Amino acid sequence: MNVRTRTALAASLVLAVTAGPIAASPAFAASTSATSATASASLPDAKALRAAIAGLPDADATAALVRVAGTDGSWRGSSGVAEIGSGRKALEQARFRIGSTTKVFTAAVVLQLAAEHRIDLGAPVQDYLPGLLPGHPPITVRQLLNHTSGLQEAHDDRTFDEAYQHRFDTVTPRQLVAASAAKPLEFTPGTQQHYVGVNYTLLGLLIEKTTGCSYEQQVSQRILRPLGLRQSSFPGANPRIDGPHNHGYQAVKRSDGTTELRDVTMWNVTDVWATGNLISTTADLERFLNALFRGEVVPKAQLEEMFTVPEGIPLYGSDRPAEYSAGLTRFTLRDGTVGWGKTGGLYGCNTAVLAARDLSRSLVYSVNSTNARDRDMNKVVGRIITAAFTR
């Protein structure tokens, strides 16, 4: 997900905490369910949530899966179709690529290794991975985690058509790091913050160097298996989403001005590896989010890294303060409560895990956006966030 899309997320979260309830649509045809122990003003607003995902498929999305939970109750719903033209409803337990939400898992493993005194967050990554960043000044592990390294992205954003032509290519992590290392730093490490995926590619390599095991094995052994996340896995170079899934589409303009929905479900995403290659479900992501925030994944001392944003430095190219921690992004709720979460976007799907730190409200969604890597916030995603965090 690019910078402007992440900025749109922040704007949507501001809207979510200031806007009033969304009116329900009479055309709503989604499947929903809700549970609560008692009536409460803090209950998820089921009416607003149903309206947020009503009418799919539409021009913005073909399907949406949503789970909202908190201390006063929970709500889950789905809308749309599993595949255009099939007549099949969207699968609520569908598996999907979670994109950059994978970074939360990567950060958690690095912090576990720090707790085991196998990684020093303040040490230069060059001490662990010599030769990968020739000519660059020392960049600490913590600076990779919180995107203050100054490294540039391996490749500039390609057009959809360019990416589509190479959708079955396999790219190695070291190729990505080499492409980034060949570019000058954007800024002196630690002086600004710029969200760059290659930071987490390096962290994946760090995990492998430190443990002697593959990155995928470490995430599976340390997080997926202990938490019982049985529907979460890494596809490697397999372009398919094995198991039940909803198809993803990209809206493409034809030469005659009409729009084609091109199926982008089959895609080799090795180019995002430790930054975005995990496949999961909303149920698994909700379980992971709850366990993480409760201190059941990362020891509490190291968990503070995930709730600590660097102070006194700006976002790159702006006067806005830093907003990224180790694996998460900070936002503010209407009542002043600070929330944390992570979004992800690959062609065909937008994903997020968002919550107040005390889990009084949490949101997990998967939206099959028709332009998931657009520079602006998807309208369905915006409505979901607004409905989930309006109390």
Side-chain angles (χ1 to χ4, degrees):
M1 188 176 288
N2 57 43
V3 173
R4 280 194 56 183
T5 302
R6 288 191 297 274
T7 300
L9 168 67
S12 183
L13 287 167
V14 171
L15 174 64
V17 299
T18 59
I22 300 172
S25 167
F28 173 69
S31 62
T32 64
S33 61
T35 61
S36 64
T38 60
S40 169
S42 295
L43 282 172
D45 189 335
K47 183 178 180 181
L49 287 162
R50 286 195 298 268
I53 60 174
L56 302 184
D58 64 12
D60 300 303
T62 57
L65 313 177
V66 180
R67 300 177 77 96
V68 180
T71 52
D72 295 302
S74 62
W75 184 93
R76 66 177 183 268
S78 61
S79 182
V81 295
E83 184 176 4
I84 294 293
S86 70
R88 294 186 293 122
K89 292 182 179 180
L91 305 172
E92 189 172 338
Q93 303 304 321
R95 305 181 76 226
F96 50 86
R97 295 188 180 93
I98 72 172
S100 287
T101 307
T102 303
K103 292 182 177 68
V104 189
F105 291 80
T106 304
V109 172
V110 171
L111 293 174
Q112 287 181 355
L113 291 169
E116 296 164 11
H117 304 291
R118 301 171 72 178
I119 290 176
D120 180 353
L121 300 183
V125 69
Q126 291 96 325
D127 290 355
Y128 299 98
L129 299 170
L132 282 188
L133 298 174
H136 285 328
I139 295 171
T140 68
V141 176
R142 182 177 283 108
Q143 288 167 346
L144 294 177
L145 282 166
N146 64 24
H147 298 287
T148 59
S149 69
L151 291 169
Q152 293 195 53
E153 197 60 270
H155 302 293
D156 294 330
D157 285 347
R158 297 182 292 180
T159 66
F160 169 74
D161 286 336
E162 291 169 338
Y164 188 77
Q165 291 300 316
H166 294 277
R167 67 192 184 280
F168 297 128
D169 292 358
T170 294
V171 181
T172 69
R174 288 180 178 268
Q175 287 175 323
L176 293 169
V177 172
S180 173
K183 300 178 180 182
L185 292 181
E186 292 182 314
F187 50 82
T188 302
T191 63
Q192 298 185 62
Q193 187 176 68
H194 191 188
Y195 182 96
V196 172
V198 77
N199 289 323
Y200 277 67
T201 303
L202 278 160
L203 291 173
L205 291 171
L206 175 62
I207 290 169
E208 294 194 332
K209 182 65 177 292
T210 303
T211 65
C213 299
S214 74
Y215 162 78
E216 294 86 351
Q217 286 176 318
Q218 284 297 298
V219 175
S220 296
Q221 292 173 7
R222 290 171 172 272
I223 300 176
L224 305 187
R225 292 175 191 168
L227 295 182
L229 308 184
R230 296 181 179 85
Q231 300 305 313
S232 301
S233 63
F234 290 95
N238 181 1
R240 297 177 175 81
I241 300 177
D242 294 329
H245 60 275
N246 299 318
H247 284 237
Y249 299 88
Q250 173 68 21
V252 180
K253 289 288 186 182
R254 299 189 181 99
S255 58
D256 62 2
T258 60
T259 299
E260 165 197 359
L261 283 183
R262 189 174 300 174
D263 195 318
V264 292
T265 310
M266 292 271 288
W267 204 292
N268 177 340
V269 292
T270 49
D271 61 328
V272 291
W273 191 50
T275 76
N277 198 12
L278 187 62
I279 289 174
S280 191
T281 64
T282 54
D284 272 11
L285 289 179
E286 185 177 65
R287 188 176 302 118
F288 169 65
L289 180 66
N290 287 336
L292 179 69
F293 279 37
R294 290 170 180 158
E296 298 168 6
V297 177
V298 176
K300 291 187 177 180
Q302 287 70 35
L303 185 60
E304 285 305 308
E305 297 281 343
M306 303 189 96
F307 298 110
T308 302
V309 171
E311 295 183 1
I313 64 171
L315 290 176
Y316 178 64
S318 79
D319 56 3
R320 294 171 52 211
E323 59 189 25
Y324 306 111
S325 65
L328 299 176
T329 306
R330 182 175 62 189
F331 60 93
T332 304
L333 300 178
R334 179 177 57 183
D335 61 3
T337 301
V338 173
W340 302 86
K342 187 72 190 75
T343 61
L346 294 173
Y347 288 117
C349 189
N350 286 123
T351 302
V353 292
L354 305 166
R357 184 170 179 178
D358 63 2
L359 295 172
S360 57
R361 179 60 50 87
S362 68
L363 166 65
V364 176
Y365 65 74
S366 168
V367 175
N368 289 104
S369 307
T370 57
N371 203 350
R373 296 178 68 86
D374 194 7
R375 295 172 67 85
D376 296 312
M377 168 67 68
N378 179 273
K379 292 179 182 178
V380 178
V381 168
R383 293 198 304 264
I384 291 169
I385 294 173
T386 301
F389 286 103
T390 297
R391 306 190 189 189

